[in-house]
Amino acid sequence: MINKKSKANFALFALAVIFFAVGVTEFISVGVLPAISKSFMITTSTAGLITTIYALGVALGAPILTILTAKFQRKGTILGAIIIFIIGHLIIGFTTNFGEVIFGRLIAGASHGLLFALSSTIAAELVDESRQASAIAYIFTGFTIATALGAPLGTAVSTYWGWRIPFLAIATLGIVAWILNRVALPKQARKNVEISSIADQVKLILHPHVLLTLLITILGYGGTFATFTYLSSILQKITHVPANQVSLFLVIYGIAIAIGNTLGGKLGNAKPINALFGIFIVQGLALFAFYFTVTNIYLSTLNIVLLGLVAFMSVPVLQSYILILAKSYSFKAVDVASSLNTSAFSFGIVGGSFLGGIALDTYGLRSTMLLAAAMVALAVLLMLVENKFENKRQK
């Protein structure tokens, strides 16, 4: 007889496979850009729309689809979203038109947003409240492993077998995720939570404490991507790492991310505010230090490991904390809270990459590190205000 804990662990594993699939497709775009550009005879910047449109799909899809599917059972909604995810990648894999590639990325991104929002909520409900951050960190492990593998795999596979194969492989991975979640997820994962009304949702969205937390998410996560987006170029042009060795550094960075994500889950279980404050301080200092260590391959390698450790360490803490706030301010709108934070992560990617690009064009590659450090420093300052809100909430 399988006990309750084993069933919960299996369900968490199934959710982690979802996160791995969406993580691979989000980061694989970096590796396939040159091949797509060549295939459709378009500029690299135009091909780069596969990254921007995907992130936009995640940012918009998370809250909109979560609200539209609020009355549906979560398990059925997740399985439906995985099917849309698979269809999006089949469109990309078999199309001969770049516009259809963009459409496939958009609907795959929208399903990603819904999957992240609901999976985080379900993961938190599968365990005791004291283990919520750890449970969310566990399923995010799939995403962080994909961060390490996505770009290198995309580059290697598209070079030898063409850029379509990675997307078809992701569709196959989606089928595996569908089967696992069909078997593993409980039929009713809501624990009798009532459906939220529009009033509940608006109340939560407009609450100052929630808005502040979302802004902190955008700045903290965006600070990571202001530099990470251009890490390959930084390594080749400033650190002078040979092009064929850059993938190794990305893998090292990704492994550090996976470790940091797990640590973040453990740190965030007890005192999330203290954990976030410490994480952002270390992250800001590491980004600032990278400006000075980047020219030395040994020091920069150590710095990259540190950056990897703190890059996603705040993610499970923030995701768990936003659910805590939802239960305090608008209990019925827990799913919406999760979707809003998912959107905030995506807006962080878009904003960090965009601002990093402006800094790069204006002041050069190294300036992205200072910009990133400044964004995280602002998140640290806002954490002081966040702490006041938290003290008031607990009274």
Side-chain angles (χ1 to χ4, degrees), residues 65-104:
L65 293 180
T66 300
I67 291 172
L68 291 177
T69 60
K71 294 183 179 180
F72 303 148
Q73 186 192 49
R74 285 182 184 148
K75 179 176 180 177
T77 303
I78 279 187
L79 294 177
I82 295 175
I83 291 174
I84 295 173
F85 179 82
I86 293 168
I87 292 172
H89 286 84
L90 290 176
I91 290 173
I92 297 168
F94 289 110
T95 187
T96 57
N97 183 295
F98 183 67
E100 291 176 0
V101 172
I102 292 299
F103 175 69

Side-chain angles (χ1 to χ4, degrees), residues 16 77-78 105 115 131 142 196 213 218 249 256 302 334 393:
T77 303
I78 279 187
R105 290 290 283 176
L115 287 167
R131 294 178 54 222
S196 62
T213 305
I218 292 172
F249 281 81
L302 291 174
V334 174
R393 184 184 72 86

Side-chain angles (χ1 to χ4, degrees), residues 97-351:
N97 183 295
F98 183 67
E100 291 176 0
V101 172
I102 292 299
F103 175 69
R105 290 290 283 176
L106 180 64
I107 64 173
S111 64
H112 169 158
L114 180 58
L115 287 167
F116 257 43
L118 294 187
S119 295
S120 297
T121 308
I122 291 175
E125 292 181 352
L126 286 170
V127 299
D128 296 333
E129 188 168 338
S130 61
R131 294 178 54 222
Q132 282 187 3
S134 290
I136 292 172
Y138 178 82
I139 64 172
F140 261 97
T141 300
F143 189 79
T144 55
I145 292 173
T147 305
L149 299 179
L153 278 178
T155 303
V157 175
S158 63
T159 299
Y160 294 104
W161 293 290
W163 64 267
R164 299 175 191 276
I165 299 300
F167 291 106
L168 294 175
I170 293 168
T172 304
L173 187 58
I175 294 172
V176 173
W178 188 92
I179 294 171
L180 284 173
N181 282 275
R182 175 70 177 81
V183 174
L185 293 187
K187 290 183 179 180
Q188 178 56 271
R190 283 190 174 275
K191 287 192 176 177
N192 300 319
V193 175
E194 296 181 51
I195 303 300
S196 62
S197 65
I198 297 297
D200 293 325
Q201 296 162 8
V202 171
K203 176 184 176 183
L204 180 69
I205 293 170
L206 297 182
H207 196 286
H209 194 173
V210 173
L211 288 174
L212 177 64
T213 305
L214 295 175
L215 179 57
I216 290 171
T217 297
I218 292 172
L219 289 170
Y221 202 59
T224 290
F225 280 85
T227 295
F228 173 71
T229 304
Y230 309 99
L231 186 57
S232 294
S233 297
I234 289 170
L235 289 171
Q236 290 182 57
K237 296 179 180 180
I238 302 178
T239 315
H240 302 299
V241 174
N244 61 353
Q245 295 180 21
V246 168
S247 293
L248 175 61
F249 281 81
L250 293 177
V251 169
I252 291 171
Y253 182 78
I255 291 172
I257 283 178
I259 296 171
N261 172 70
T262 302
L263 292 175
K266 295 181 182 300
L267 290 172
N269 281 328
K271 298 181 179 179
I273 297 298
N274 292 346
L276 288 171
F277 194 73
I279 291 168
F280 287 140
I281 288 177
V282 174
Q283 183 182 0
L285 292 174
L287 286 164
F288 183 70
F290 196 35
Y291 181 87
F292 300 98
T293 63
V294 70
T295 55
N296 183 292
I297 191 167
Y298 301 107
L299 292 177
S300 62
T301 300
L302 291 174
N303 212 146
I304 286 172
V305 170
L306 179 58
L307 286 172
L309 286 172
V310 294
F312 281 23
M313 193 178 284
S314 62
V315 172
V317 187
L318 286 164
Q319 195 72 5
S320 175
Y321 185 60
I322 202 76
L323 297 180
I324 292 172
L325 296 186
K327 290 174 182 178
S328 290
Y329 300 130
S330 186
F331 184 80
K332 298 177 184 178
V334 174
D335 285 346
V336 176
S338 181
S339 71
L340 289 172
N341 216 41
T342 299
S343 289
F345 286 130
S346 292
F347 280 124
I349 293 173
V350 174

